[in-house]
C-alpha cells in the first residue's frame, strides 16, 4: 500500500477512536479543547518506520486514549506550522522583487554620509600603512612599470603596424568581407597589444617592485588600464570613427567618435568600482559599510541610460542600419530601441538590487550586469551585421522580372528573420550564462527546478518551431518563385488574363505549392505548440480529444465540405487547371486566380470574380493548356486574287518568325488557309497560327497591323458591308425630296439591324 494512503488510513482510524472516546466521556472533550497540562505532558508516541499495516495495528493495540490524542495533536500542529512551500516561495520572491530591492536603495541612501568619511578613512589607513616614503615609492614604481610596459607595447605595435592601419577601401566595393577582415585584424592587433602591455607590466612588477606592492599593482592594471582600452577597441571595431567606409553601424563621424569616447569612460567607471571595493576591504572598510559598490553600479547604469537619452535619434538611425526598405515592424522596432536601451539599463540595475537583497553577492562577482549591458548596447551592430551578411551571402536573384524581384526581396527578409532568431537565442544563452541561470541554479534560488526546466524546454521548442517555420516557408517560396519565373507567369501583370481570356498559366508545381505552404505552416504551428505545452507540463490529451470531436462533427455535419475537399484533391491530381489559366465551368469563364482546399476563384476578363466549390464543378474546359491556335478572318472584295492574299500572309508569317520579339512565342508560323467562303459582301479569307498560351493576343495585334499595311501597299481593300434598298416604281430617283430620303434611311437602318441580329453569335457576352 502506498505510504501516503497508509497515512490517510491511520489518521482516519485515529479520528474514529477520538470520536468514540469523546462520546463515551464528555470530560475528555473538554480536556481536548482546553489542552490541559496533563495532555501536554503525555508523551507523543513515535510512528513506526516503516509504517505498514502490521506495524500500525501493533501501535494502535498498545496506545491509550491520551496517547492517541497527543499523536493527533502533534500531526495537526505539524501541518499548521508547515504552510505550503510554493506559497512561501512566491511570497518570498515578490518581497525581494519589490520591498527587498527597494530596501537596498534605502540603505544606500542612508549610508551616503558614511561614503566620504569611510572612504577617507580607507585612504588614511593605506597612507599610514605605507607612509609618505611608501606613497612616493608606489608612484615611482607605478611610473616605471607604465613606461616600461608602454615601451614594449610600442615595439610590438611597430611589428604589426600593417594590421593596425585600415587600407583604403574602393568606393564601389560592396563586399562584406572587405570590411570585416581589416576591422577584425585591427581589433585582434589592439587586443593582443593590450595583452602584451599587461604581460610586460606584470613581469616588470614581479622583477622590480617589492612583493608587498604586488596585489595593488595587479589590481589596478587590468581594471583601470586594460578594461577601458579593451572597451574602446571593441567600439572602434563597430564604429570605425576615422574610416566611415568600414563602419559596420550606421552612424555619423561625430556620433562614432562620441561612442568610442563614452565606451572608454564606461570601462573606466566599471574598473574603478572593481578596484575600490577590494581596496576598502583591505584597509578596514567592510563591503557593505558605505555601499560604494551600489553607487558605482548606479553610476554605470545611469551613464548608459543618459547615453540613450542624449543620442536618441542617432540610436534610431543605428537600428535602421541605413536601409530604406524596412518593413513597418522593423521601423517600429528601430523607433522603440531607445526606450528598450533605457529599460534594459534600469532593469539590470534593479536586478542587481534584487540579488543583493538575497545576499547572493557571489553571483555579482563576474559583473554579469555590465556584460548584459554591453551585449544589448551593441544590438544595432548585430542587426546591421545580419542584414549586411544577408545582402552578400543570400543567393542571387533567379530570373528576371517583377516576380523574381519580389521573390528575392522575400528571400532576403526570411534570411534576416532567421538570423535575428539565431542571434536572439545566442544573446539569451549568453545572458543566462552571465547570470548563471540554469534549472539547478533557479531551483536553488527558490524558483523550482521543475518549473524552470519546463519553461526552458517550452521556450526552446517554440524557438526551434519558429526556425522550422521560417526555413520551410523560405524553401517553398523560393521554389514557387523559381517555377513562376521559369513559366513567365506573373499573377499581378495586367495582361496575364489574356485580355479576352486564354492567358498562360503557371506550372503544375506553382499551383500546388501555395496549398502545400499553407498546410505545412499550419501543421508546424500546431505540432510545435502541442510539443511545447506537453513539455511544459500541460496535459494535451483534452485538446487532442476535442480536435477529434470537431473532426467527427465536420464529418457528419459538413459532408458538403468534405465533398469539396476530396473533389479538389482529385482535380489537382488530374492537373485539370493551374493558376493563371483561362478555364470555363459550364457558362462561367475566367482566369484561375486563387485556389484553396475547398474552392477556386475565377476572374473574368472584364473583372468579376467567381468562386466555385470543387464539388459543384461537373466539367472544366481549359483554354490555356500547352498551346493555342488562333484563326483570323479577312473579307476582301469580289474580284480580289486569293493567291495574292496568300503570298502576303506567307510573307508576314516569315517576317514575324524572324522577329526577336515574337519568334519565341510562335509554335507554328502564321499562314493562309485559303478561301473560307463567299458571303454577300466579298471573299472570306482565313489565316491561322499556333502560339504559346497568353502570347496569342499580342501576336494578333501585330498581325492585324502588318496585314493592313501590306493590303494598302498592294492596293487591296477590305470589303465593306452595304445595304441596298429597292423601291419598286421609283424610276425618277434623282428627284427625291427630304421626306423620301428620311423614309429610305429609316428602312435601311431597320434592315441593317435585322441582319446584325440574325448574324451567328450576335448578342453573346463579350462580343
Amino acid at each position: 500500500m502506498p505510504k501516503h494512503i497508509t497515512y490517510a488510513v491511520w489518521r482516519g482510524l485515529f479520528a474514529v477512536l477520538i470520536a468514540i472516546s469523546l462520546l463515551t466521556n464528555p470530560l475528555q472533550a473538554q480536556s481536548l479543547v482546553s489542552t490541559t497540562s496533563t495532555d501536554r505532558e503525555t508523551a507523543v508516541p513515535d510512528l513506526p518506520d516503516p509504517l505498514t499495516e502490521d506495524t500500525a495495528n501493533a501501535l494502535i493495540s498498545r496506545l491509550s486514549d491520551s496517547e492517541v490524542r497527543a499523536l493527533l495533536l502533534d500531526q495537526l500542529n505539524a501541518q499548521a506550522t508547515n504552510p505550503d512551500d510554493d506559497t512561501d516561495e512566491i511570497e518570498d520572491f515578490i518581497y525581494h522583487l519589490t520591498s527587498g530591492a527597494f530596501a537596498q536603495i534605502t540603505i544606500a541612501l542612508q549610508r551616503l554620509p558614511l561614503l566620504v568619511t569611510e572612504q577617507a578613512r580607507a585612504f588614511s589607513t593605506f597612507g599610514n600603512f605605507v607612509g609618505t616614503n611608501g606613497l612616493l615609492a608606489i608612484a615611482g614604481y607605478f611610473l616605471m612599470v607604465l613606461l616600461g610596459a608602454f615601451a614594449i607595447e610600442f615595439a610590438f605595435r611597430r611589428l604589426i603596424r600593417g594590421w593596425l592601419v585600415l587600407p583604403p577601401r574602393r568606393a564601389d566595393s560592396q563586399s562584406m568581407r572587405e570590411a570585416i577582415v581589416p576591422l577584425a585584424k585591427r581589433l585582434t592587433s589592439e587586443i593582443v597589444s593590450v595583452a602584451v602591455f599587461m604581460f610586460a607590466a606584470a613581469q616588470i612588477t614581479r622583477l622590480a617592485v617589492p612583493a608587498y606592492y604586488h596585489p595593488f599593482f595587479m589590481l589596478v592594471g587590468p581594471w583601470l588600464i586594460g578594461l577601458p582600452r579593451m572597451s574602446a577597441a571593441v567600439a572602434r571595431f563597430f564604429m570605425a570613427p576615422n574610416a566611415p567606409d568600414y563602419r559596420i553601424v550606421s552612424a555619423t563621424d561625430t556620433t562614432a567618435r562620441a561612442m568610442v569616447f563614452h565606451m572608454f569612460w564606461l570601462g573606466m567607471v566599471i574598473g574603478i568600482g572593481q578596484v575600490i571595493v577590494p581596496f576598502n576591504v583591505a584597509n578596514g572598510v567592510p563591503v557593505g559599510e558605505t555601499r560604494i559598490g551600489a553607487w558605482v553600479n548606479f553610476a554605470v547604469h545611469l551613464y548608459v541610460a543618459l547615453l540613450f537619452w542624449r543620442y536618441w535619434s542617432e540610436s534610431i538611425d543605428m537600428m535602421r542600419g541605413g536601409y530604406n526598405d524596412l518593413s513597418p515592424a522593423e521601423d517600429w522596432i528601430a523607433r522603440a530601441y531607445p526606450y528598450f536601451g533605457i529599460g534594459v539599463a534600469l532593469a539590470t540595475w534593479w536586478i542587481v538590487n534584487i540579488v543583493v537583497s538575497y545576499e547572493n553577492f557571489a553571483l555579482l562577482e563576474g559583473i554579469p550586469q555590465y556584460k548584459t549591458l554591453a551585449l544589448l548596447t551593441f544590438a544595432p551592430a548585430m542587426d546591421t551585421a545580419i542584414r549586411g551578411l544577408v545582402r552578400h551571402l543570400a543567393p542571387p536573384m533567379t530570373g528576371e522580372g517583377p516576380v523574381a524581384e519580389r521573390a528575392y526581396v522575400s528571400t532576403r527578409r526570411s534570411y534576416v528573420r532567421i538570423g535575428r532568431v539565431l542571434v536572439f537565442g545566442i544573446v539569451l544563452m549568453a545572458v543566462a550564462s552571465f547570470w548563471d541561470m540554469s534549472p539547478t541554479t533557479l531551483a536553488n534560488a527558490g524558483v523550482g527546478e521543475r518549473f524552470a526546466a519546463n519553461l526552458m524546454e517550452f521556450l526552446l521548442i517554440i524557438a526551434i518551431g519558429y526556425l522550422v517555420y521560417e526555413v520551410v516557408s523560405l524553401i517553398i517560396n523560393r521554389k514557387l518563385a523559381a517555377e513562376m519565373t521559369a513559366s513567365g507567369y506573373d499573377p499581378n501583370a495586367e495582361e496575364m488574363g489574356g485580355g479576352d481570356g486564354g492567358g498562360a498559366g503557371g506550372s503544375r508545381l506553382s499551383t500546388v505549392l501555395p496549398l502545400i505552404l499553407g498546410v505545412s505552416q499550419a501543421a508546424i504551428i500546431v505540432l510545435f505548440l502541442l510539443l511545447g505545452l506537453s513539455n511544459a507540463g500541460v496535459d494535451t490529451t483534452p485538446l487532442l480529444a476535442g480536435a477529434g470531436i470537431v473532426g467527427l462533427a465536420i464529418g457528419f455535419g459538413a459532408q458538403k465540405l468534405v465533398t469539396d475537399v476530396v473533389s479538389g484533391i482529385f482535380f489537382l491530381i488530374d492537373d485539370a487547371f493551374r493558376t493563371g489559366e483561362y478555364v470555363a465551368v459550364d457558362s462561367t469563364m475566367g482566369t484561375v486566380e486563387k485556389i484553396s482546399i475547398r474552392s477556386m476563384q475565377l476572374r473574368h476578363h472584364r473583372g468579376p470574380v467567381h468562386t466555385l466549390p470543387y464539388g459543384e464543378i461537373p466539367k472544366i474546359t481549359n483554354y490555356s493548356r500547352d498551346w493555342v491556335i488562333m484563326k483570323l478572318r479577312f473579307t476582301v472584295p469580289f474580284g480580289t486574287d486569293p493567291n495574292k492574299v496568300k503570298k502576303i500572309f506567307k510573307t508576314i508569317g516569315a517576317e514575324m518568325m524572324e522577329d526577336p520579339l515574337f519568334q519565341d512565342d510562335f509554335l507554328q508560323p502564321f499562314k493562309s488557309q485559303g478561301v473560307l467562303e463567299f458571303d454577300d459582301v466579298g471573299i472570306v479569307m482565313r489565316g491561322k497560327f499556333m502560339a504559346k498560351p497568353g502570347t496569342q493576343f499580342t501576336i494578333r495585334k501585330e498581325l492585324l497591323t502588318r496585314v493592313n499595311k501590306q493590303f494598302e501597299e498592294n492596293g487591296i481593300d477590305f470589303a465593306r458591308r452595304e445595304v441596298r434598298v429597292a423601291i419598286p416604281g421609283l424610276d425618277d430617283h434623282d428627284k427625291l425630296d427630304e421626306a423620301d430620303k428620311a423614309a429610305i434611311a429609316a428602312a435601311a437602318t431597320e434592315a441593317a439591324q435585322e441582319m446584325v441580329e440574325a448574324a451567328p453569335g450576335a448578342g453573346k457576352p463579350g462580343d
Side-chain angles (χ1 to χ4, degrees):
M1 183 181 295
K3 192 172 183 179
H4 66 278
I5 299 177
T6 306
Y7 283 142
V9 171
W10 292 121
R11 287 180 182 176
L13 292 175
F14 293 156
V16 172
L17 292 174
I18 293 172
I20 294 173
S21 63
L22 293 178
L23 290 174
T24 54
N25 191 352
L27 294 177
Q28 291 181 355
Q30 182 179 357
S31 65
L32 180 61
V33 175
S34 60
T35 315
T36 61
S37 60
T38 304
D39 293 330
R40 287 194 297 267
E41 294 174 356
T42 302
V44 178
D46 296 328
L47 291 175
D49 187 19
L51 184 61
T52 63
E53 185 175 356
D54 295 335
T55 57
N57 289 330
L59 176 64
I60 293 176
S61 63
R62 65 174 183 268
L63 289 180
S64 64
D65 293 343
S66 59
E67 289 176 330
V68 171
R69 290 195 299 273
L71 182 59
L72 179 60
L73 288 173
D74 181 69
Q75 294 295 322
L76 294 175
N77 290 333
Q79 291 186 359
T81 56
N82 290 284
D84 186 75
D85 293 338
D86 294 336
T87 303
D88 280 351
E89 289 181 3
I90 295 174
E91 292 178 353
D92 185 61
F93 177 72
I94 293 175
Y95 165 76
H96 289 288
L97 183 66
T98 55
S99 301
F102 186 77
Q104 303 306 313
I105 301 174
T106 305
I107 295 172
L109 291 172
Q110 291 174 349
R111 298 187 181 180
L112 184 60
L114 298 175
L115 183 61
V116 177
T117 58
E118 292 299 311
Q119 193 61 50
R121 182 167 68 87
F123 286 134
S124 176
T125 302
F126 180 74
N128 294 332
F129 174 75
V130 299
T132 304
N133 294 332
L135 291 175
L136 294 175
I138 289 176
Y141 287 131
F142 194 75
L143 182 61
M144 178 189 66
V145 171
L146 285 180
L147 292 177
F150 273 124
I152 295 174
E153 182 188 355
F154 179 78
F156 177 76
R157 281 176 171 266
R158 293 286 294 176
L159 295 175
I160 61 169
R161 59 181 178 273
W163 282 29
L164 292 170
V165 179
L166 297 176
R169 192 179 182 196
R170 300 193 311 270
D172 58 345
S173 176
Q174 295 294 326
S175 174
M176 192 73 174
R177 184 176 181 273
E178 291 186 8
I180 294 295
V181 171
L183 288 172
K185 287 182 177 179
R186 187 177 71 172
L187 176 62
T188 304
S189 302
E190 291 184 340
I191 292 176
V192 174
S193 298
V194 175
V196 168
F197 172 86
M198 300 304 301
F199 178 78
Q203 296 305 312
I204 295 172
T205 300
R206 185 176 64 86
L207 296 174
V209 178
Y212 50 87
Y213 291 144
H214 287 180
F216 175 77
F217 278 73
M218 296 302 180
L219 184 65
V220 171
W223 290 111
L224 296 185
I225 299 176
L227 180 61
R229 293 184 61 189
M230 290 286 190
S231 301
V234 174
R236 277 193 294 272
F237 172 79
F238 289 106
M239 308 304 299
N242 299 319
D245 292 338
Y246 284 91
R247 193 166 298 151
I248 298 177
V249 176
S250 176
T252 63
D253 293 345
T254 303
T255 303
R257 286 190 288 267
M259 289 298 104
V260 175
F261 172 82
H262 290 299
M263 289 302 104
F264 176 85
W265 285 106
L266 262 176
M268 182 64 72
V269 174
I270 295 173
I272 291 174
Q274 297 302 306
V275 169
I276 198 68
V277 172
F279 175 83
N280 288 350
V281 173
N283 290 276
V285 179
V287 176
E289 185 70 20
T290 61
R291 292 299 176 100
I292 189 172
W295 287 107
V296 172
N297 180 68
F298 175 73
V300 172
H301 290 84
L302 180 62
Y303 197 157
V304 173
L306 291 177
L307 282 179
F308 278 101
W309 181 269
R310 166 63 180 81
Y311 298 97
W312 189 279
S313 59
E314 289 83 355
S315 62
I316 294 176
D317 293 337
M318 289 181 190
M319 199 65 182
R320 283 176 174 159
Y323 293 92
N324 297 322
D325 58 344
L326 298 181
S327 65
E330 291 172 336
D331 185 70
W332 181 87
I333 292 173
R335 292 180 179 275
Y337 181 66
Y339 297 100
F340 171 77
I342 295 175
V344 167
L346 297 177
T348 51
W349 171 66
W350 193 260
I351 289 173
V352 171
N353 291 313
I354 295 173
V355 174
V356 173
S357 71
Y358 275 105
E359 298 184 357
N360 189 4
F361 300 104
L363 183 60
L364 301 177
E365 291 179 356
I367 55 173
Q369 68 275 28
Y370 303 143
K371 295 177 182 177
T372 303
L373 273 178
L375 191 62
L376 298 179
T377 299
F378 287 102
M382 290 185 287
D383 191 75
T384 304
I386 290 171
R387 283 181 280 184
L389 288 173
V390 169
R391 174 187 293 176
H392 300 290
L393 299 180
M397 185 172 67
T398 303
E400 299 178 352
V403 174
E405 292 178 0
R406 288 194 296 270
Y408 179 67
V409 173
S410 177
T411 299
R412 281 180 50 191
R413 290 181 175 175
S414 295
Y415 276 114
V416 168
R417 287 194 295 268
I418 293 173
R420 284 173 177 167
V421 172
L422 292 175
V423 169
F424 181 74
I426 293 173
V427 169
L428 283 182
M429 293 175 62
V431 172
S433 175
F434 296 158
W435 294 94
D436 195 21
M437 295 175 63
S438 65
T440 303
T441 55
L442 291 175
N444 294 335
V447 178
E449 184 173 1
R450 181 178 179 183
F451 172 77
N454 290 342
L455 178 61
M456 295 180 69
E457 289 180 2
F458 176 79
L459 294 177
L460 180 61
I461 290 173
I462 295 300
I464 294 175
Y466 180 77
L467 285 177
V468 173
Y469 178 92
E470 285 290 347
V471 170
V472 170
S473 301
L474 176 64
I475 294 173
I476 295 179
N477 283 327
R478 280 185 56 82
K479 185 62 178 177
L480 178 61
E483 287 290 322
M484 294 171 65
T485 303
S487 63
Y489 173 65
D490 183 2
N492 296 325
E494 182 178 356
E495 296 184 355
M496 262 349 243
D500 295 320
S507 64
R508 184 177 187 181
L509 190 58
S510 66
T511 302
V512 179
L513 280 177
L515 290 178
I516 297 176
L517 177 62
V519 173
S520 301
Q521 290 175 339
I524 290 171
I525 292 173
V526 173
L527 176 62
F528 280 92
L529 184 60
L530 290 176
L531 286 176
L533 292 175
S534 177
N535 282 272
V538 178
D539 187 8
T540 58
T541 303
L543 296 177
L544 297 176
I549 294 174
V550 171
L552 290 175
I554 293 176
F556 287 105
Q559 297 182 15
K560 183 63 173 64
L561 176 62
V562 175
T563 301
D564 293 336
V565 173
V566 174
S567 300
I569 292 174
F570 283 103
F571 273 125
L572 293 176
I573 292 175
D574 294 338
D575 196 19
F577 54 84
R578 300 173 185 174
T579 305
E581 292 184 331
Y582 197 86
V583 300
V585 180
D586 288 342
S587 60
T588 303
M589 304 178 69
T591 302
V592 180
E593 188 173 76
K594 182 181 178 182
I595 62 174
S596 66
I597 61 173
R598 191 194 70 88
S599 63
M600 63 186 298
Q601 289 185 350
L602 302 182
R603 183 176 291 276
H604 193 265
H605 54 267
R606 292 184 176 178
V609 177
H610 307 282
T611 301
L612 303 175
Y614 296 127
E616 298 180 4
I617 300 177
K619 180 182 66 174
I620 293 179
T621 303
N622 195 326
Y623 291 95
S624 302
R625 183 56 55 87
D626 301 331
W627 47 265
V628 172
I629 293 180
M630 178 164 281
K631 298 181 178 182
L632 304 177
R633 296 162 53 103
F634 302 92
T635 305
V636 296
F638 293 110
T640 304
D641 185 3
N643 292 326
K644 186 176 182 179
V645 175
K646 292 175 63 176
K647 291 180 180 179
I648 292 174
F649 286 177
K650 184 177 180 180
T651 301
I652 293 175
E655 291 177 352
M656 293 192 68
M657 287 295 294
E658 299 295 330
D659 193 330
L661 295 177
F662 304 101
Q663 62 183 2
D664 294 335
D665 298 331
F666 278 103
L667 297 179
Q668 290 182 6
F670 176 65
K671 59 185 177 180
S672 173
Q673 287 189 295
V675 177
L676 177 64
E677 62 181 0
F678 293 90
D679 60 12
D680 55 353
V681 177
I683 304 173
V684 179
M685 303 285 295
R686 189 167 69 177
K688 74 169 185 176
F689 65 89
M690 180 185 293
K692 297 177 181 179
T695 64
Q696 68 269 30
F697 302 103
T698 303
I699 295 175
R700 182 183 65 179
K701 293 175 184 178
E702 182 66 18
L703 275 174
L704 294 177
T705 302
R706 297 193 182 200
V707 168
N708 181 60
K709 182 179 179 181
Q710 289 291 331
F711 276 13
E712 288 181 357
E713 293 177 355
N714 289 273
I716 300 175
D717 295 328
F718 288 100
R720 295 176 178 82
R721 185 176 297 279
E722 297 179 355
V723 178
R724 300 181 180 183
V725 181
I727 303 177
L730 186 61
D731 297 331
D732 196 4
H733 57 274
D734 296 332
K735 298 180 180 179
L736 294 175
D737 55 15
E738 295 298 329
D740 294 334
K741 293 180 179 179
I744 294 173
T749 302
E750 183 179 358
Q753 184 65 32
E754 291 177 356
M755 292 178 63
V756 171
E757 293 178 355
K764 289 186 179 181
D767 293 341

